[in-house]
Amino acid sequence: MSTSTPTAAHAGAASPARRVAAQASFETRAILRNGEQLLVTIVVPVLLLVGLVRTSLVELDTGGATRIDFVTPGVLALACVTTAFTSQSIATAFDRRNGVLRLLATTPLGRGGLLAGKILGVLAVEAVQVVVIGGVALALGWQPVLAGLLPAAGLLLLGTAAFTALALLLAGTLRAEGVLAVANLVLVLLVVGGGLIVPPSELPGALAHLAAFLPSGALGEGLRGALLGTGVPALSVVVLVAWTAAFGAGAGRLFRWH
């Protein structure tokens, strides 16, 4: 008399949430394990923070605040830009060139899951940046206004949305080599004259007016207002929301998956 052997149960497909979480984990590790990406996202902002605090090569009108209190919000804004824009645009552009985006878009992860994973990966790396940069700043004497921490977090999320949308717009329309050149050039220009580190009001000539309406200037001014306790300028929020909408609409319309 033969006995039947129960059929082994097959594990079901992963839920959408688990698929997105797995992709986010992959995106995070890809950035943090890449030496060049790590240099741009962690090392450069930390070195800039220490250099601006310990030297006076860059003249800054701190408005009575200590130099560390004045500089740290701008460096956090820079960290947001390096991850949400520079790293993400370059990584996405090369994934697109190599056919990775097209293949992933046809898997159960889907296009929406892929984008969600990328955004969560950016936020995870930014959390690491905030911990590292914040830790170094505290060691240097940083004393942020505690009531401004929550508004600052909201501004970082809004800045992340704006610059991630810009990254996808750039990565989805230009060749990978072009994205590499443009993304790094834009980062340099934003650091020098975009209102990230040096407030728009301290920039020369027309830049003083232009930078306040750039997403970089809005993010820098908003974080300085929040963490210095002077209040978040309404203009900063409006500018970031407007650029997020514009970049998002452009990316949604023009992004090519292959």
Side-chain angles (χ1 to χ4, degrees), residues 145-208:
V145 175
L146 297 182
L149 293 179
L150 188 58
L155 283 164
L156 283 174
L157 288 174
L158 194 52
T160 298
F163 282 104
T164 301
L166 175 58
L168 294 176
L169 175 60
L170 192 66
T173 54
L174 300 181
R175 293 171 60 90
E177 294 78 8
V179 173
L180 178 63
V182 172
N184 283 302
L185 176 60
V186 169
L187 178 62
V188 172
L189 292 177
L190 292 182
V191 171
V192 174
L196 282 173
I197 305 298
V198 179
S201 60
E202 297 185 28
L203 293 172
L207 280 178

Side-chain angles (χ1 to χ4, degrees), residues 24-130:
S25 176
F26 170 78
E27 297 283 347
T28 304
R29 294 195 307 271
I31 294 176
L32 294 179
R33 288 179 178 178
N34 185 299
E36 182 181 347
Q37 300 276 29
L38 196 62
L39 176 67
V40 173
T41 57
I42 303 291
V43 177
V44 169
V46 169
L47 290 178
L48 185 61
L49 174 68
V50 175
L52 288 173
V53 172
R54 293 302 190 190
T55 69
S56 57
L57 294 177
V58 179
E59 293 292 334
L60 292 173
D61 180 5
T62 64
T66 64
R67 198 169 175 91
I68 182 63
D69 287 349
F70 189 82
V71 166
T72 301
V75 175
L76 290 172
L78 171 62
C80 174
V81 175
T82 59
T83 300
F85 171 64
T86 311
S87 294
Q88 194 56 235
S89 61
I90 294 172
T92 303
F94 279 92
D95 282 348
R96 173 172 164 257
R97 187 193 70 174
N98 296 331
V100 175
L101 292 185
R102 181 178 57 189
L103 291 176
L104 286 176
T106 63
T107 68
L109 179 66
R111 294 184 177 185
L114 176 59
L115 292 176
K118 283 185 172 294
I119 292 171
L120 289 176
V122 167
L123 292 174
V125 174
E126 287 183 359
V128 175
Q129 289 176 301
V130 169

